[in-house]
């Protein structure tokens, strides 16, 4: 069968507006059009023969050949032609799940490391307290400065996907062309889950990092006995979190200035978080009367300019206790001291995708594409590699609530 014969058959098939197959109608555009339904000429020889035979019968039918008409009707009820058109009309590849862009840089600092050895991030505290008055001929007081360090090491992460050459040939839906993209998405998910696991665990917010001793949890010992411990995410709860963050002090007893913050919430709190941040006005009792009546204040939502929302879908997966209710506030990681850092190996700071070069050569020479597979097994292999690490840093730059009001 030649390509011209096949083109002629397809040309004949295109003359008909519609045809009936059982109780369903199908147009030639629906059969050979786009919208996820494709027919390719790289099908098997048997497939092409069946299609050509069908177009010949159909040409005879529209030309008035009664024998061709009977044969065409019979052919349309046969399983081989049912499968033929079933492949064209019904087979399509569903879209992959949508993947969010990486969001952790909104609340964690990005670091760079030279190798796989442990790296340290040093801090220097002290020396910034209010100056002492010095009397005439009196000596100046000596103030102390202390240092500390945070330590972590990066590690290598990766996986590979191997398929056979036969599988690639049979991939008429081009499904396997997305394999490198899927590996890239896997690397993106790895980053997001790694970041979430730094500050959250199966029992809730990291209890070592978020604690009464660090003064970064919302409870009655931090900002007064009238405050509810671990409040739900609402205007009052977010106000309390901002108060906790604003009351942190450095080693000299001075205030820590916080400008913009990021509110990190699970998907279950996305609506509540965005309603709070995007509200035009807030009815507030704080600074006014007792909470109701004419003494209540109507104020512009000042949080719109200071708080940004990040929805982290990994939180309920990592935190199986309060994953749908816990919420977090992080100070801007690029201003001042960050709450945590994720580090990447210099020169390998993004996911790296690889395909195995075939260890084969054609007789007579000539390049061999990776899609042809290796010499031994006709195997085609894709691989992704990424290198990252990280650690929690200053607890004074973050506040958490389990949302389980107590």
């Amino acid at each position: 069968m030649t390509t011209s014969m096949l083109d002629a058959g397809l040309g004949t098939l295109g003359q008909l507006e519609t045809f009936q197959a059982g109780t369903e109608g199908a147009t030639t555009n629906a059969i050979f059009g786009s919208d996820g339904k494709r027919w390719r000429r790289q099908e098997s020889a048997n497939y092409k023969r069946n299609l050509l035979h069908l177009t010949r019968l159909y040409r005879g039918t529209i030309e008035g050949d009664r024998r061709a008409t009977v044969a065409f009707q019979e052919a349309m009820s046969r399983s081989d032609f049912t499968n033929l058109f079933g492949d064209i009309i019904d087979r399509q590849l569903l879209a992959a799940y949508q993947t969010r862009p990486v969001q952790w840089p909104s609340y964690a600092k990005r670091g760079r490391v030279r190798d796989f050895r442990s790296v340290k991030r040093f801090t220097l505290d002290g020396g910034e307290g209010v100056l002492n008055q010095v009397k005439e001929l009196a000596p100046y007081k000596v103030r102390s400065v202390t240092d500390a360090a945070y330590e972590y090491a990066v590690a290598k992460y990766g996986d590979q996907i191997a398929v056979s050459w036969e599988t690639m040939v049979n991939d008429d839906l081009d499904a396997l062309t997305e394999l490198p993209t899927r590996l890239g998405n896997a690397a993106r998910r790895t980053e997001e889950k790694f970041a979430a696991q730094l500050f959250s665990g199966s029992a809730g917010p990291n209890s070592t990092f978020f604690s009464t001793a660090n003064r970064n949890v919302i409870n009655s010992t931090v900002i007064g006995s009238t405050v509810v411990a671990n409040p739900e995410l609402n205007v009052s709860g977010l106000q309390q979190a901002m108060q906790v963050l604003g009351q942190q002090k450095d080693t000299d007893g001075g205030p820590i200035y916080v400008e913009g913050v990021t509110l990190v919430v699970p998907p279950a709190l996305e609506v509540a978080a965005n309603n709070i941040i995007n509200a035009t006005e807030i009815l507030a009792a704080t600074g006014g009367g007792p909470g109701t009546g004419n003494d209540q204040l109507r104020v512009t939502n000042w949080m719109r300019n200071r708080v940004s929302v990040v929805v982290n879908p990994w939180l309920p997966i990592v935190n199986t206790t309060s994953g749908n209710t816990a919420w977090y506030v992080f100070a801007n990681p690029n201003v001042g001291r960050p709450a945590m850092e994720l580090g990447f190996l210099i020169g390998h700071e993004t996911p790296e995708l690889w395909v195995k070069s075939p260890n084969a050569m054609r007789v007579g020479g000539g390049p061999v594409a990776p899609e042809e597979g290796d010499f031994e097994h006709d195997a085609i292999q894709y691989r992704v590699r990424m290198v990252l690490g990280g650690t929690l840093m200053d607890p004074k730059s973050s506040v958490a609530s389990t949302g389980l009001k107590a």
Side-chain angles (χ1 to χ4, degrees):
M1 181 186 64
T2 65
T3 302
S4 60
M5 294 171 61
L6 181 60
D7 289 338
L10 291 176
T12 301
L13 185 61
Q15 297 175 18
L16 184 65
E17 289 293 330
T18 60
F19 69 89
Q20 298 295 324
T23 59
E24 299 180 356
T27 65
T28 55
N29 183 60
I31 297 174
F32 297 106
S34 57
D35 193 27
K37 309 172 183 70
R38 56 172 63 94
W39 177 83
R40 304 190 335 181
R41 296 189 179 183
Q42 291 82 7
E43 296 290 351
S44 65
N46 183 57
Y47 195 102
K48 293 179 180 179
R49 282 196 299 270
N50 288 341
L51 182 58
L52 181 60
H53 179 48
L54 178 64
T55 56
R56 286 172 175 170
L57 293 177
Y58 174 61
R59 176 165 37 184
T61 299
I62 63 175
E63 290 176 353
D65 187 338
R66 296 184 62 183
R67 292 185 61 185
T69 301
V70 173
F72 178 82
Q73 293 174 345
E74 178 182 356
M76 289 305 298
S77 64
R78 291 173 55 188
S79 60
D80 55 348
F81 287 108
T82 300
N83 293 333
L84 175 68
F85 277 99
D87 283 350
I88 296 174
I89 297 175
D90 297 330
R91 295 182 67 232
Q92 54 183 305
L93 179 66
L94 297 179
Y97 291 108
Q98 187 173 357
T99 301
R100 291 173 179 260
V102 173
Q103 300 183 86
W104 62 261
S106 299
Y107 51 87
K109 182 179 179 180
R110 186 183 187 94
R112 307 173 73 211
V113 302
R114 296 181 180 275
D115 50 43
F116 289 92
R117 291 174 292 183
S118 295
V119 295
K120 290 185 177 181
R121 299 292 183 257
F122 295 96
T123 63
L124 194 64
D125 293 305
E128 295 181 314
V130 175
L131 296 176
N132 294 296
Q133 183 180 1
V134 182
K135 295 183 178 181
E136 185 177 0
L137 298 179
Y140 285 85
K141 290 186 176 181
V142 177
R143 55 176 58 189
S144 61
V145 178
T146 59
D147 64 347
Y150 302 101
E151 186 175 342
Y152 72 91
V154 297
K156 182 173 65 176
Y157 297 82
D159 278 309
Q160 67 177 11
I161 297 178
V163 295
S164 67
W165 177 72
E166 290 85 352
T167 302
M168 293 292 288
V169 171
N170 291 339
D171 181 27
D172 60 326
L173 297 179
D174 291 334
L176 300 182
T177 59
E178 295 186 354
L179 291 181
T181 301
R182 290 178 175 272
L183 290 174
N185 289 339
R188 184 181 305 172
R189 290 183 173 188
T190 302
E191 289 184 40
E192 285 293 332
K193 186 176 182 181
F194 184 92
Q197 288 176 320
L198 284 179
F199 63 89
S200 182
S202 60
N206 187 305
S207 59
T208 302
F209 188 74
F210 297 104
S211 65
T212 301
N214 288 331
R215 301 177 63 85
N216 61 351
V217 292
I218 308 173
N219 58 44
S220 59
T221 64
V222 177
I223 54 177
S225 59
T226 61
V227 179
V228 175
N230 287 309
E232 300 172 350
L233 178 61
N234 49 38
V235 174
S236 177
L238 187 55
Q239 174 183 313
Q240 294 167 20
M242 296 296 290
Q243 289 176 340
V244 171
L245 200 60
Q247 290 182 5
Q248 290 284 10
K249 299 177 183 179
D250 61 21
T251 55
D252 293 307
I256 298 175
Y257 297 100
V258 176
E259 297 179 358
V261 300
T262 300
L263 173 62
V264 181
V265 299
L269 297 180
E270 179 177 7
V271 173
N274 283 302
N275 284 345
I276 295 171
I277 302 307
N278 294 310
T280 304
E281 294 181 331
I282 296 176
L283 293 177
T286 303
T292 58
N294 296 329
D295 291 335
Q296 202 169 32
L297 298 177
R298 185 184 297 272
V299 298
T300 301
N301 187 4
W302 58 270
M303 290 185 288
R304 298 179 66 178
N305 299 322
R306 292 196 60 188
V307 182
S308 60
V309 176
V310 167
V311 180
N312 191 329
W314 286 103
L315 291 178
I317 297 175
V318 173
N319 178 1
T320 57
T321 303
S322 56
N324 289 318
T325 59
W327 51 279
Y328 309 79
V329 174
F330 292 93
N332 187 337
N334 300 312
V335 179
R337 193 170 295 173
M340 58 184 182
E341 176 177 309
L342 264 68
F344 297 84
L345 186 66
I346 295 176
H348 306 271
E349 298 174 49
T350 57
E352 298 171 292
L353 295 170
W354 309 74
V355 61
K356 184 177 180 180
S357 178
N359 55 345
M361 179 181 295
R362 299 183 186 278
V363 176
V368 178
E371 291 77 14
E372 294 293 334
D374 62 14
F375 182 83
E376 292 83 3
H377 309 103
D378 284 336
I380 304 158
Q381 299 181 55
Y382 297 98
R383 190 188 72 185
V384 63
R385 181 180 68 191
M386 66 181 308
V387 183
L388 80 158
T391 184
L392 292 169
M393 288 187 169
D394 198 334
K396 296 177 181 179
S397 298
S398 183
V399 177
S401 172
T402 63
L404 303 175
K405 185 171 58 176

